[in-house]
Amino acid sequence: MSILIKNGRVITATDDYMGDVYIKNEKVTLIGQNLEMEADEVIDASGKYLFPGGLDPHTHLDMPFGGTVTADDFETGTRAAAHGGTTTIIDFAIQTIGHSALEGLDTWHKKAEGNTAIDYGFHMILTDMEDDRLSEMKTLADEGVTSYKLFMAYPGVLYMDDGMIYRTMKKAGENGAIVCMHAENGIVIDEIIRVAVNEGKTEPKWHSLTRPTLMEAEAVHRTISISKAADVPVYIVHLSSSDALEEIVTARAEGLPVYAETCPQYLFLDYSYYEKENFEGAKYVMSPPLREKWNQDELWYGLQTNNVQIVSTDHCSFRFKDQKSMGKDLFTKIPNGAPGIENRMGLLYQGGVIEGRISLNRFVEITSTSAAKLFGLFPKKGTIAVGSDADIVIFDPHRKETISVNNACTHHMNVDYNAYEGFEVKGFTETVLSRGKVIIKDCKYVGKKGDGQFLKRGLYSGIK
Ligand code: URP
Ligand code: ZN
Ligand code: ZN
């Protein structure tokens, strides 16, 4: 199968030029101008941008959490991702306490295999790393799972104490892997929650008011200190606040291998969403929570200055009607997480490029290239270049859409609300190719369940 895309404006993290792209056997095999070769299909991309497919390195599909299971599984979640121009995800497999991490990986392989629309890798959430289990981490890395997520939050569920964090980090460093951290001080937060609940504070907004930014900043600081002692690179996931960002800026100025992602919810939404009537605030219950609006400018500044390198979604969808409602009487029972896998690229293009905060090249870098580099997938993923997988988004920079759960061009997630309801975005993912096959065309999914392949990722090699 061969495809020739003609007259597109090719945009990578470093380049911006007019070109034709020839694809054969799933790869980009030639890029040039006025290419005249025969192809099974010719696509005219005049007036359109060609972006590398997006890479979302933080998703939770088919994940048991908060007394239920996420609404999107690997089929619905990856299809929705594709609609939004994301062609690779890295999802989080989980080690259950008392069980082998390899067992957890096996479980996640079974969930994903044969079901995904796009290529996927796994990070491993480690919860139980006594000495006798540490050797499993090397096996994981050999299997292409070269990053581990640890939690300072959620005591009794995914939480790891500092001793185990240090032990796990040390082993990760020896293995050449990177550690992803959920940085919130869960022990202090649980105490704040206990007091609040005793005082009868039960509505969704208390989820946010009991998780202060200082407890995020403290955990980021501790992560960095422990990682320095353990000699391992760290990646702070879902960074939400200016206080926490300050810790990252300080560490990076010291030259430490400290990286961070933020997510659209922290760039576009804010605390006021928790005050919505009729329990609607529950739609935005996630951890860390939405912050006061002024934090958004600081996070954008973090992206502009490369102190934050990546925008992921932390897509973790729960239906409003029968899942978020589990916490109708008490905010602690609302499952934590929000949907977003489909809208990341569109929102970032609008808020970043259209609104003048970042360049086109930086847009590609933060939505695709940096994640591919940091997580051992570059140059297979994350760029448009000869030899790379032909994961390409043909993007119409003029078309406008209003994001809505009712808009068949902006919502395919298996969840009954859209967190960005009513947001207007200019620029639209018109066609998506995954490994040289068109899978999205004019708002329609034309791929096949199971097209996606598992990606064995390389070891950490550092990025700027
Ligand atoms: O609220 C969130 N973020 N849910 C997903 C799990 C996590 O902590 O990433
Ligand atoms: Zn987390
Ligand atoms: Zn997450």
Side-chain angles (χ1 to χ4, degrees), residues 215-231:
M215 288 301 104
E216 184 183 21
E218 184 279 330
V220 170
H221 185 93
R222 192 157 29 102
T223 298
I224 293 166
S225 303
I226 303 173
S227 71
K228 201 169 160 184
D231 195 15

Side-chain angles (χ1 to χ4, degrees), residues 5 40 51 153 182-183 260 266 273 298 330 333 362 417:
I5 307 176
D40 296 322
F51 293 136
H182 181 130
Y266 305 118
Y273 284 73
E298 301 300 316
L330 184 57
K333 300 218 164 87
R362 183 64 177 158
Y417 73 99

Side-chain angles (χ1 to χ4, degrees), residues 56-100:
D56 184 346
H58 189 154
T59 66
H60 301 280
L61 301 175
D62 200 355
M63 180 177 80
F65 197 53
T68 181
V69 179
T70 54
D72 278 298
D73 59 17
F74 280 87
E75 182 182 354
T76 65
T78 58
R79 219 166 43 208
H83 274 284
T86 291
T87 53
T88 303
I89 59 163
I90 310 179
D91 198 81
F92 288 88
I94 304 182
Q95 176 199 20
T96 310
I97 294 174
H99 292 259
S100 148

Side-chain angles (χ1 to χ4, degrees), residues 190-211:
D190 269 13
E191 177 59 16
I192 300 173
I193 290 174
R194 192 182 67 79
V195 172
V197 171
N198 280 345
E199 290 171 354
K201 296 167 173 163
T202 59
E203 309 98 302
K205 70 175 183 184
W206 289 102
H207 171 75
S208 179
L209 296 172
T210 54
R211 305 182 90 91

Side-chain angles (χ1 to χ4, degrees), residues 115-386:
N115 289 319
T116 70
I118 55 173
D119 291 351
Y120 60 97
F122 293 124
H123 311 278
M124 191 78 212
I125 292 176
L126 297 174
T127 53
D128 190 356
M129 278 291 127
E130 297 300 344
D131 282 343
D132 57 349
R133 287 212 191 284
L134 285 176
S135 62
E136 293 180 4
M137 291 174 63
K138 174 77 169 68
T139 312
L140 289 169
D142 292 343
E143 299 277 322
V145 179
T146 51
S147 44
Y148 319 112
K149 183 178 178 188
L150 312 181
F151 283 78
M152 288 174 159
Y154 308 131
V157 187
L158 299 169
Y159 172 85
M160 235 190 209
D161 67 35
D162 289 352
M164 197 180 277
I165 286 173
Y166 173 72
R167 181 188 310 137
T168 309
M169 279 189 175
K170 228 173 147 24
K171 186 51 78 180
E174 285 164 24
N175 291 346
I178 181 166
V179 168
C180 307
M181 184 62 84
H182 181 130
E184 282 186 297
N185 187 327
I187 300 290
V188 173
I189 285 170
D190 269 13
E191 177 59 16
I192 300 173
I193 290 174
R194 192 182 67 79
V195 172
V197 171
N198 280 345
E199 290 171 354
K201 296 167 173 163
T202 59
E203 309 98 302
K205 70 175 183 184
W206 289 102
H207 171 75
S208 179
L209 296 172
T210 54
R211 305 182 90 91
T213 56
L214 267 187
M215 288 301 104
E216 184 183 21
E218 184 279 330
V220 170
H221 185 93
R222 192 157 29 102
T223 298
I224 293 166
S225 303
I226 303 173
S227 71
K228 201 169 160 184
D231 195 15
V232 69
V234 282
Y235 176 75
I236 305 296
V237 296
H238 45 49
L239 190 86
S240 71
S241 68
S242 171
D243 284 343
L245 175 60
E246 270 181 35
E247 300 290 342
I248 308 252
V249 172
T250 306
R252 287 180 62 82
E254 250 186 72
L256 293 172
V258 171
Y259 307 95
E261 64 173 25
T262 189
C263 310
Q265 52 269 37
Y266 305 118
L267 295 166
F268 292 90
L269 309 176
D270 63 78
Y271 170 78
S272 66
Y273 284 73
Y274 293 118
E275 304 221 325
K276 281 177 177 270
E277 308 254 285
N278 301 322
F279 190 61
E280 297 240 348
K283 293 176 176 174
Y284 308 94
V285 165
M286 64 188 79
S287 295
L290 301 178
R291 305 301 192 181
E292 286 174 28
K293 195 167 175 57
W294 63 268
N295 287 275
Q296 294 174 357
D297 288 340
E298 301 300 316
L299 293 173
W300 279 111
Y301 188 65
L303 286 166
Q304 287 162 341
T305 54
N306 199 41
N307 282 300
V308 179
Q309 298 78 33
I310 291 170
V311 179
S312 72
T313 58
D314 191 12
H315 177 84
C316 185
S317 58
F318 298 105
R319 290 176 301 277
F320 182 59
K321 192 162 168 263
D322 61 314
Q323 294 186 295
K324 291 288 186 180
S325 59
M326 290 160 59
K328 199 120 190 96
D329 301 321
L330 184 57
F331 71 91
T332 59
K333 300 218 164 87
I334 302 169
N336 282 207
I341 201 166
E342 184 166 353
N343 306 117
R344 180 182 70 122
M345 306 275 284
L347 286 164
L348 262 285
Y349 184 79
Q350 171 65 38
V353 179
I354 297 287
E355 294 175 23
R357 293 184 177 96
I358 55 172
S359 68
L360 273 170
N361 299 113
R362 183 64 177 158
F363 167 78
V364 170
E365 196 165 44
I366 64 177
T367 56
S368 180
T369 315
S370 291
K373 287 183 176 172
L374 192 64
F375 292 114
L377 289 171
F378 189 84
K380 181 178 170 65
K381 305 293 186 189
T383 192
I384 299 176
V386 170

